Amino acid sequence: MSDRSPRHRGPQRAPDRVRRVAYQVIRQVNAEGGYANLALNKALRDSRLSGRDAAFCTELVHGTLRWQGTYDAFLARSVSRPLDELDPELLDMLRLGTHQLLNMRVDSYAAVSEMVSLTRAELGQKRTGLVNAVLRKISQREMGQWITTVAPRWEDDPLGHLAIAEAHPRWVVESFDRALSDGPGAAPPGEAVNELERLLVADNEPPRVSLVARPGLAEVDELVAAGASPARWSPFGAVLEGGGDPGRIGAVAAGRAGVQDEGSQLVAIALASAKVDGDDADWLDLCAGPGGKSALLASLVKDGRLTAVEPLKHRAELVRQNLRTVPGDHKVLVGDGTKPTWPAGSFDRVLADVPCSGLGALRRRPEARWRRTPKDVEELRPLQEALLESAISSVRPGGVVAYVTCSPHPDETRAVVDAVLDRRDDASLEDARALFPGVPDLGDGPDVQLWPHLHGTDAMYLALIRRSAGT
């Protein structure tokens, strides 16, 4: 890199508009607890950025948020005081500059110069000297050299090394390691850490846009004709390989199709496919918001009806919107799924897609990995057990319950199922693997764990539980 100092060269100029939008979105996410996807989409609309500018802004926001823990480790070696003594807005500026220098093909001089201009505009002239000096230090090493400098050696501490090298908090890496070593589809002995690395790499790849053609309302061929490709596993799924706005597709705009991860489709299809003797007309989605799985289940129930329960009014409204095009006598209840307002044993099939940490969907939520804590997992556990208890009580003898999470954390998956089934003599776990025809790498069962690096889906977990008469 040139040793010229951008802050002393030439007249001051306005900051780059795209970088300014990206910085403001990052501040909104980190300072106000916003969601990156929502904040970014609004900012792109408001600023009227499109095409290459929108793509550049998206990479600045998502990449900076996704890698910020790793960048903080680099910055801690480049700033003369502890990072927690820096003003948060200044730290976000340094993270944004570091992402351009180490993970994007931005010329180092241009990156530093642009960040100095942006700092002057957003934070004032006094901060420009520190930003210039720190980013010039960062630019003196490449990404791999920084990882070698700050991360534990693989030979000494492979999980600590991966936490830095693949930008995940250590507790998340450890929980994934537990799931890959002991959970459904566990890797062979000695292979778990390699599986873990592939998982973490996959978590850092932006997910493809997955679509679902709701049965009876749309066909996959219609989505393919609009530019999508058939999904690998879901008979109702399609994928927009090149991304783009799915709302431009007529079936999506009309609500006959929707945006839904293929893993979410597979767990709903699995519940709908499980063998049930006798009546099969009343299905329950116990934790329905925002309603993607509700719409798919309502499309699949034959001559029956779906009841969808959601405790929050605004999310219940989203469920109604998702169900608006699905024919049938379906209904949405605003209520607490742990306190049923219906008689026990009312339903033939129940989906309990419980609130969870969301660690299985880190690909699509770049800020989530640094926002979640082990305490979140601990605090969700009583609610998850209560909802599964309610789900089992709500299904009739002979009916089935699908316990589902978008997290592979063992304390949210098998631990919850084991704890609840230990307290009940009227329910048992069944092998669910046959309900995922053609899907490989499902392990020894009986429960199923999908993975981004193996299946290209979110890390969805499913346990299939059948209600018996009990004693």
Side-chain angles (χ1 to χ4, degrees):
M1 175 198 164
S2 167
D3 61 357
R4 293 175 296 174
S5 173
R7 68 192 176 107
H8 294 307
R9 297 188 67 252
Q12 296 179 3
R13 58 184 176 81
D16 174 62
R17 190 163 71 100
V18 177
R19 287 178 172 85
R20 192 166 198 171
V21 171
Y23 173 73
Q24 290 169 348
V25 171
I26 291 168
R27 286 301 301 145
Q28 188 175 347
V29 171
N30 282 341
E32 303 172 18
Y35 294 98
N37 292 340
L38 297 179
L40 178 62
N41 287 340
K42 182 177 186 304
L44 292 177
R45 286 196 304 272
D46 292 348
S47 60
R48 299 185 178 181
L49 293 178
S50 61
R52 294 179 63 181
D53 284 346
F56 185 55
C57 188
T58 299
E59 174 53 34
L60 288 171
V61 171
H62 285 185
T64 299
L65 293 171
R66 185 175 291 120
W67 285 88
Q68 71 177 30
T70 292
Y71 295 156
D72 285 358
F74 303 163
L75 290 167
R77 296 289 187 97
S78 307
V79 178
S80 59
R81 48 186 155 140
L83 291 190
D84 58 8
E85 293 183 7
L86 287 182
D87 292 335
E89 60 269 26
L90 180 57
L91 180 57
D92 277 341
M93 191 70 75
L94 294 171
R95 290 164 172 163
L96 179 59
T98 301
H99 184 61
Q100 294 168 67
L101 288 167
L102 301 183
N103 250 331
M104 299 179 70
R105 296 178 179 177
V106 179
D107 173 78
S108 58
Y109 175 76
V112 175
S113 177
E114 293 289 356
M115 294 310 297
V116 167
S117 295
L118 181 58
T119 301
R120 182 181 299 112
E122 288 285 332
L123 307 179
Q125 177 69 33
K126 288 177 61 177
R127 311 284 189 92
T128 59
L130 185 144
V131 169
N132 180 50
V134 171
L135 292 183
R136 291 178 69 198
K137 284 184 182 177
I138 292 290
S139 72
Q140 290 169 3
R141 295 174 183 169
E142 296 180 350
M143 184 75 171
Q145 293 172 314
W146 272 111
I147 291 171
T148 301
T149 300
V150 307
R153 294 198 319 153
W154 175 281
E155 296 80 2
D156 300 332
D157 180 4
L159 301 192
H161 181 89
L162 287 171
I164 295 293
E166 298 302 337
H168 285 67
R170 174 147 189 152
W171 75 273
V172 174
V173 176
E174 290 174 345
S175 72
F176 287 175
D177 184 56
R178 282 177 57 201
L180 286 166
S181 300
D182 302 322
E191 281 296 313
V193 72
N194 296 324
E195 283 284 315
L196 176 61
E197 183 176 23
R198 287 192 280 273
L199 167 60
L200 300 180
V201 170
D203 257 355
N204 289 332
E205 296 293 330
R208 301 176 300 173
V209 177
S210 296
L211 307 175
V212 58
R214 291 171 178 149
L217 298 173
E219 301 288 340
V220 171
D221 287 348
E222 185 177 356
L223 303 180
V224 171
S229 301
R232 282 185 292 178
W233 325 115
S234 168
F236 311 118
V239 176
L240 283 176
E241 299 284 357
D245 179 14
R248 65 178 172 76
I249 299 175
V252 175
R256 295 184 292 107
V259 177
Q260 187 172 44
D261 178 72
E262 193 176 2
S264 293
Q265 297 176 43
L266 291 176
V267 295
I269 295 168
L271 172 63
S273 305
K275 179 176 171 49
V276 169
D277 293 327
D279 294 340
D280 191 18
D282 287 294
W283 295 10
L284 172 66
D285 185 351
L286 193 60
C287 317
K293 296 186 190 70
S294 295
L296 181 52
L297 289 172
S299 302
L300 290 170
V301 61
K302 303 297 183 187
D303 301 321
R305 65 205 67 82
L306 178 82
T307 298
V309 180
E310 167 56 46
L312 301 177
K313 287 184 179 179
H314 73 280
R315 285 171 62 86
E317 186 54 37
L318 294 176
V319 180
R320 290 190 184 93
Q321 291 176 18
N322 270 302
L323 288 173
R324 73 187 188 281
T325 58
V326 184
D329 184 25
H330 313 299
K331 59 183 177 182
V332 179
L333 303 179
V334 179
D336 182 349
T338 67
K339 299 173 182 175
T341 56
W342 49 87
S346 294
F347 297 95
D348 306 301
R349 300 174 194 262
V350 178
L351 174 65
D353 182 11
V354 301
C356 68
S357 64
L359 296 181
L362 296 182
R363 300 178 304 162
R364 63 187 72 254
R365 299 169 189 162
E367 76 284 359
R369 68 189 66 182
W370 309 111
R371 188 173 288 175
R372 287 297 192 186
T373 69
K375 189 177 180 182
D376 294 324
V377 175
E378 180 183 337
E379 290 179 346
L380 283 166
R381 176 73 175 269
L383 176 61
Q384 292 164 344
E385 291 190 16
L387 286 166
L388 180 53
E389 287 270 13
S390 177
I392 295 173
S393 297
S394 297
V395 77
R396 66 169 172 81
V400 290
V401 172
Y403 175 81
V404 169
T405 68
C406 60
S407 168
H409 195 301
D411 291 348
E412 300 186 273
T413 57
R414 278 188 169 178
V416 171
V417 174
D418 290 346
V420 172
L421 293 185
D422 281 348
R423 295 195 292 265
R424 301 190 67 123
D425 64 358
D426 62 346
S428 57
L429 199 57
E430 292 198 348
D431 195 331
R433 291 174 296 168
L435 304 176
F436 294 76
V439 181
D441 300 312
L442 297 180
D444 297 329
D447 41 3
V448 166
Q449 178 67 65
L450 302 174
W451 292 105
H453 67 295
L454 293 176
H455 306 106
T457 67
D458 288 345
M460 302 297 298
Y461 170 87
L462 177 141
L464 188 72
I465 298 164
R466 189 172 299 276
R467 176 93 183 268
S468 61
T471 59

